[in-house]
mmCIF file of all heavy atoms in Angstrom:
data_model
loop_
_atom_site.group_PDB
_atom_site.id
_atom_site.type_symbol
_atom_site.label_atom_id
_atom_site.label_comp_id
_atom_site.label_asym_id
_atom_site.label_seq_id
_atom_site.Cartn_x
_atom_site.Cartn_y
_atom_site.Cartn_z
ATOM 1 N N LYS O 144 -15.341 32.619 19.891
ATOM 2 C CA LYS O 144 -15.886 31.303 20.168
ATOM 3 C C LYS O 144 -14.858 30.220 19.905
ATOM 4 O O LYS O 144 -14.985 29.114 20.653
ATOM 5 C CB LYS O 144 -17.114 31.060 19.333
ATOM 6 C CG LYS O 144 -18.369 31.889 19.615
ATOM 7 C CD LYS O 144 -19.503 31.641 18.799
ATOM 8 C CE LYS O 144 -20.743 32.511 19.099
ATOM 9 N NZ LYS O 144 -21.865 32.239 18.218
ATOM 10 N N LEU O 165 -5.226 50.214 24.906
ATOM 11 C CA LEU O 165 -4.224 51.109 25.488
ATOM 12 C C LEU O 165 -3.538 51.872 24.311
ATOM 13 O O LEU O 165 -3.057 52.975 24.492
ATOM 14 C CB LEU O 165 -3.282 50.442 26.372
ATOM 15 C CG LEU O 165 -3.850 49.885 27.694
ATOM 16 C CD1 LEU O 165 -2.775 49.113 28.438
ATOM 17 C CD2 LEU O 165 -4.435 51.006 28.518
ATOM 18 N N GLU O 237 -30.153 5.797 -1.666
ATOM 19 C CA GLU O 237 -31.549 5.432 -1.367
ATOM 20 C C GLU O 237 -31.529 4.037 -0.728
ATOM 21 O O GLU O 237 -32.565 3.509 -0.292
ATOM 22 C CB GLU O 237 -32.364 5.427 -2.638
ATOM 23 C CG GLU O 237 -32.575 6.704 -3.200
ATOM 24 C CD GLU O 237 -33.371 6.684 -4.561
ATOM 25 O OE1 GLU O 237 -34.236 5.719 -4.667
ATOM 26 O OE2 GLU O 237 -33.129 7.460 -5.545
ATOM 27 N N LYS O 240 -30.394 -0.541 4.952
ATOM 28 C CA LYS O 240 -29.773 -1.729 5.640
ATOM 29 C C LYS O 240 -30.688 -2.907 5.393
ATOM 30 O O LYS O 240 -31.897 -2.880 5.511
ATOM 31 C CB LYS O 240 -29.576 -1.508 7.075
ATOM 32 C CG LYS O 240 -28.791 -2.511 7.781
ATOM 33 C CD LYS O 240 -28.591 -2.067 9.286
ATOM 34 C CE LYS O 240 -27.816 -3.220 10.003
ATOM 35 N NZ LYS O 240 -27.541 -2.857 11.430
ATOM 36 N N GLY O 290 -18.065 0.252 0.684
ATOM 37 C CA GLY O 290 -18.694 1.111 -0.367
ATOM 38 C C GLY O 290 -17.489 2.031 -0.949
ATOM 39 O O GLY O 290 -16.587 2.468 -0.145
ATOM 40 N N ASP O 412 0.656 3.753 25.195
ATOM 41 C CA ASP O 412 0.797 3.310 26.630
ATOM 42 C C ASP O 412 0.708 1.741 26.682
ATOM 43 O O ASP O 412 0.668 1.225 27.764
ATOM 44 C CB ASP O 412 -0.389 3.815 27.448
ATOM 45 C CG ASP O 412 -0.246 5.306 27.634
ATOM 46 O OD1 ASP O 412 0.876 5.743 27.916
ATOM 47 O OD2 ASP O 412 -1.212 6.093 27.756
ATOM 48 N N ILE O 451 13.439 -32.128 -8.508
ATOM 49 C CA ILE O 451 12.853 -32.530 -9.796
ATOM 50 C C ILE O 451 11.372 -32.526 -9.728
ATOM 51 O O ILE O 451 10.677 -32.030 -10.645
ATOM 52 C CB ILE O 451 13.343 -34.005 -10.194
ATOM 53 C CG1 ILE O 451 14.928 -33.817 -10.583
ATOM 54 C CG2 ILE O 451 12.489 -34.432 -11.380
ATOM 55 C CD1 ILE O 451 15.426 -35.237 -10.828
ATOM 56 N N ILE O 454 10.064 -28.700 -9.945
ATOM 57 C CA ILE O 454 10.425 -27.828 -11.048
ATOM 58 C C ILE O 454 9.232 -27.055 -11.691
ATOM 59 O O ILE O 454 9.293 -25.877 -11.909
ATOM 60 C CB ILE O 454 11.197 -28.579 -12.151
ATOM 61 C CG1 ILE O 454 12.622 -29.038 -11.734
ATOM 62 C CG2 ILE O 454 11.265 -27.702 -13.459
ATOM 63 C CD1 ILE O 454 13.248 -29.896 -12.690
ATOM 64 N N SER O 463 9.285 -23.147 -2.444
ATOM 65 C CA SER O 463 10.178 -23.121 -1.336
ATOM 66 C C SER O 463 11.051 -24.269 -1.329
ATOM 67 O O SER O 463 12.208 -24.158 -0.792
ATOM 68 C CB SER O 463 9.325 -22.998 -0.043
ATOM 69 O OG SER O 463 8.547 -24.212 0.153
ATOM 70 N N LYS O 507 6.050 -36.654 -4.918
ATOM 71 C CA LYS O 507 6.204 -36.186 -3.423
ATOM 72 C C LYS O 507 4.654 -35.970 -3.074
ATOM 73 O O LYS O 507 3.848 -35.541 -3.838
ATOM 74 C CB LYS O 507 7.026 -34.868 -3.319
ATOM 75 C CG LYS O 507 6.406 -33.648 -3.884
ATOM 76 C CD LYS O 507 7.275 -32.389 -3.500
ATOM 77 C CE LYS O 507 6.566 -31.125 -3.921
ATOM 78 N NZ LYS O 507 6.682 -30.827 -5.387
ATOM 79 N N PHE O 516 1.970 -45.611 -3.494
ATOM 80 C CA PHE O 516 2.594 -45.586 -4.723
ATOM 81 C C PHE O 516 3.726 -46.450 -4.917
ATOM 82 O O PHE O 516 3.893 -47.269 -5.856
ATOM 83 C CB PHE O 516 3.049 -44.125 -4.935
ATOM 84 C CG PHE O 516 3.878 -43.903 -6.194
ATOM 85 C CD1 PHE O 516 3.355 -43.864 -7.415
ATOM 86 C CD2 PHE O 516 5.298 -43.737 -6.011
ATOM 87 C CE1 PHE O 516 4.230 -43.716 -8.588
ATOM 88 C CE2 PHE O 516 6.061 -43.555 -7.139
ATOM 89 C CZ PHE O 516 5.558 -43.465 -8.421
ATOM 90 N N LYS O 531 10.308 -40.617 11.142
ATOM 91 C CA LYS O 531 10.600 -39.282 10.699
ATOM 92 C C LYS O 531 9.297 -38.552 10.372
ATOM 93 O O LYS O 531 9.245 -37.232 10.638
ATOM 94 C CB LYS O 531 11.398 -39.366 9.396
ATOM 95 C CG LYS O 531 12.822 -39.978 9.559
ATOM 96 C CD LYS O 531 13.672 -39.916 8.295
ATOM 97 C CE LYS O 531 15.057 -40.490 8.555
ATOM 98 N NZ LYS O 531 15.840 -39.715 9.416
ATOM 99 N N ASP O 533 6.425 -38.832 11.889
ATOM 100 C CA ASP O 533 5.841 -38.632 13.220
ATOM 101 C C ASP O 533 6.560 -37.398 13.841
ATOM 102 O O ASP O 533 5.981 -36.565 14.463
ATOM 103 C CB ASP O 533 5.881 -39.884 14.086
ATOM 104 C CG ASP O 533 4.871 -40.837 13.604
ATOM 105 O OD1 ASP O 533 4.023 -40.571 12.859
ATOM 106 O OD2 ASP O 533 4.894 -42.053 14.181
ATOM 107 N N ILE O 551 11.596 -45.096 -1.682
ATOM 108 C CA ILE O 551 11.400 -43.919 -0.989
ATOM 109 C C ILE O 551 12.773 -43.264 -0.599
ATOM 110 O O ILE O 551 13.616 -43.994 -0.006
ATOM 111 C CB ILE O 551 10.507 -44.061 0.317
ATOM 112 C CG1 ILE O 551 9.123 -44.429 -0.080
ATOM 113 C CG2 ILE O 551 10.618 -42.858 1.352
ATOM 114 C CD1 ILE O 551 8.083 -44.743 1.104
ATOM 115 N N GLU O 620 -6.596 -6.680 34.496
ATOM 116 C CA GLU O 620 -6.811 -6.719 35.898
ATOM 117 C C GLU O 620 -5.427 -6.391 36.571
ATOM 118 O O GLU O 620 -5.495 -5.894 37.786
ATOM 119 C CB GLU O 620 -7.246 -8.097 36.300
ATOM 120 C CG GLU O 620 -8.700 -8.347 35.967
ATOM 121 C CD GLU O 620 -9.107 -9.811 36.178
ATOM 122 O OE1 GLU O 620 -8.340 -10.613 36.603
ATOM 123 O OE2 GLU O 620 -10.302 -10.124 35.844
ATOM 124 N N LEU O 645 -6.905 -3.699 16.661
ATOM 125 C CA LEU O 645 -6.649 -3.287 15.228
ATOM 126 C C LEU O 645 -7.261 -4.389 14.365
ATOM 127 O O LEU O 645 -6.827 -5.552 14.332
ATOM 128 C CB LEU O 645 -5.184 -3.297 14.957
ATOM 129 C CG LEU O 645 -4.696 -2.978 13.520
ATOM 130 C CD1 LEU O 645 -5.051 -1.552 13.160
ATOM 131 C CD2 LEU O 645 -3.218 -3.148 13.422
ATOM 132 N N ILE O 676 3.891 4.716 16.552
ATOM 133 C CA ILE O 676 3.224 5.979 16.289
ATOM 134 C C ILE O 676 2.681 6.620 17.548
ATOM 135 O O ILE O 676 2.828 7.746 17.781
ATOM 136 C CB ILE O 676 2.289 5.810 15.142
ATOM 137 C CG1 ILE O 676 3.028 5.542 13.856
ATOM 138 C CG2 ILE O 676 1.437 7.141 14.968
ATOM 139 C CD1 ILE O 676 2.071 5.189 12.729
ATOM 140 N N ALA O 686 7.966 16.183 24.909
ATOM 141 C CA ALA O 686 9.150 16.905 24.636
ATOM 142 C C ALA O 686 8.914 18.400 24.441
ATOM 143 O O ALA O 686 9.574 19.222 24.912
ATOM 144 C CB ALA O 686 9.754 16.308 23.370
ATOM 145 N N ILE O 734 8.896 38.862 21.059
ATOM 146 C CA ILE O 734 9.088 38.416 19.564
ATOM 147 C C ILE O 734 9.512 36.934 19.537
ATOM 148 O O ILE O 734 9.051 36.079 18.800
ATOM 149 C CB ILE O 734 10.073 39.286 18.848
ATOM 150 C CG1 ILE O 734 9.513 40.704 18.718
ATOM 151 C CG2 ILE O 734 10.425 38.542 17.596
ATOM 152 C CD1 ILE O 734 10.521 41.694 18.060
ATOM 153 N N PRO O 741 5.695 28.997 15.218
ATOM 154 C CA PRO O 741 5.833 28.395 13.845
ATOM 155 C C PRO O 741 7.185 27.655 13.601
ATOM 156 O O PRO O 741 7.121 26.706 12.687
ATOM 157 C CB PRO O 741 5.866 29.686 12.931
ATOM 158 C CG PRO O 741 6.184 30.841 13.797
ATOM 159 C CD PRO O 741 5.654 30.493 15.189
ATOM 160 N N VAL O 751 8.468 14.045 17.208
ATOM 161 C CA VAL O 751 9.882 13.857 17.577
ATOM 162 C C VAL O 751 10.377 12.426 17.183
ATOM 163 O O VAL O 751 9.572 11.495 17.289
ATOM 164 C CB VAL O 751 9.919 13.983 19.133
ATOM 165 C CG1 VAL O 751 11.404 13.594 19.648
ATOM 166 C CG2 VAL O 751 9.624 15.351 19.666
ATOM 167 N N TYR O 753 11.430 8.949 16.960
ATOM 168 C CA TYR O 753 11.313 7.893 18.023
ATOM 169 C C TYR O 753 12.220 6.785 17.734
ATOM 170 O O TYR O 753 12.327 6.247 16.671
ATOM 171 C CB TYR O 753 9.820 7.468 17.998
ATOM 172 C CG TYR O 753 9.585 6.215 18.867
ATOM 173 C CD1 TYR O 753 9.739 6.325 20.252
ATOM 174 C CD2 TYR O 753 9.199 5.017 18.321
ATOM 175 C CE1 TYR O 753 9.593 5.147 21.054
ATOM 176 C CE2 TYR O 753 9.108 3.884 19.039
ATOM 177 C CZ TYR O 753 9.169 3.947 20.396
ATOM 178 O OH TYR O 753 9.054 2.829 21.282
#
Side-chain angles (χ1 to χ4, degrees):
K144 289 183 180 179
L165 292 177
E237 298 175 32
K240 188 175 181 179
D412 290 326
I451 292 173
I454 288 174
S463 65
K507 72 170 186 284
F516 170 78
K531 291 184 182 297
D533 289 346
I551 290 176
E620 286 170 2
L645 179 66
I676 293 173
I734 291 173
V751 172
Y753 171 65

